[in-house]
Amino acid sequence: MNAMADPADPADPTDDEEGAEGAEGATGRGGAHRLPEYADRVLTEVERIPPGRVLTYGDIARRLGGGGPRQVGRVMARYGGAVPWWRVVRADGRLLPGHERRALEHYRIEGTPLRAGADPGATPRLDLRRAVWDGGADGSGAPAPGRG
C-alpha cells in the first residue's frame, strides 16, 4: 500500500468510485481500462509540457485546481510511464531518486536548463528559474509568476 494516499479515502482525487487500479490494471491512455478522472487530468497536463521545460508536482496540482504535490506524484508513479515523466520534477530541482541517469539523458537531449550539483562530480540539478514552463503556447518557458 502506498503511504501517500488511501485508496478507500473518498477525498483522494487519484481514485474513482470503484477504487484505484494498480499499474498492472491500466493499459495506458487509450487502453481498455478507464483511468481515474484526476489521473487522466494530470497526464493530460504533463503531455502539454514542451520539450526542454518542466513543471513541479505542485505546479501541476495548482493548474488543475485540486489535489496536491503528493497526489500528482502518486499519479505519476502509478500511470506516468506513458507520458514524458521527466518533465515533472521536485520543487528543489533535484532529479528523481532512482531515475537520475534516465532523466538526465532526456534533459540533455531536450536542452533543459541544468545547473551544477552542490559538490564537484555531483549529479546536476534542474535550473528551475529557467526551466519551468509558464504554460504559454509557444513553449518559451518564461519564468512562471513568483519564480523569477
Side-chain angles (χ1 to χ4, degrees):
M1 168 62 60
N2 189 328
M4 287 193 277
D6 179 357
D9 181 356
D12 181 2
T14 62
D15 292 331
D16 60 15
E17 304 82 47
E18 293 130 16
E21 295 176 26
E24 67 281 354
T27 59
R29 301 289 310 277
H33 297 287
R34 185 173 67 88
L35 288 173
E37 187 265 340
Y38 186 79
D40 188 55
R41 290 175 56 213
V42 167
L43 299 179
T44 297
E45 190 67 22
V46 172
E47 289 176 329
R48 294 184 62 235
I49 306 168
R53 301 295 172 212
V54 299
L55 288 175
T56 68
Y57 295 96
D59 289 336
I60 290 177
R62 281 187 293 281
R63 286 170 181 263
L64 297 178
R70 289 178 185 240
Q71 286 80 15
V72 171
R74 181 171 189 227
V75 168
M76 293 303 296
R78 295 184 84 181
Y79 306 109
V83 298
W85 55 266
W86 59 92
R87 296 182 193 153
V88 183
V89 302
R90 298 166 52 131
D92 63 5
R94 287 189 291 155
L95 306 188
L96 185 62
H99 302 281
E100 298 92 343
R101 182 183 294 150
R102 287 179 47 214
L104 197 53
E105 289 173 17
H106 287 291
Y107 297 141
R108 289 183 170 144
I109 290 168
E110 294 183 357
T112 307
L114 299 168
R115 60 184 176 91
D119 299 317
T123 302
R125 288 186 179 203
L126 291 155
D127 184 345
L128 292 179
R129 286 183 170 242
R130 295 178 26 224
V132 169
W133 181 50
D134 69 353
D138 66 355
S140 66
R147 291 214 185 251

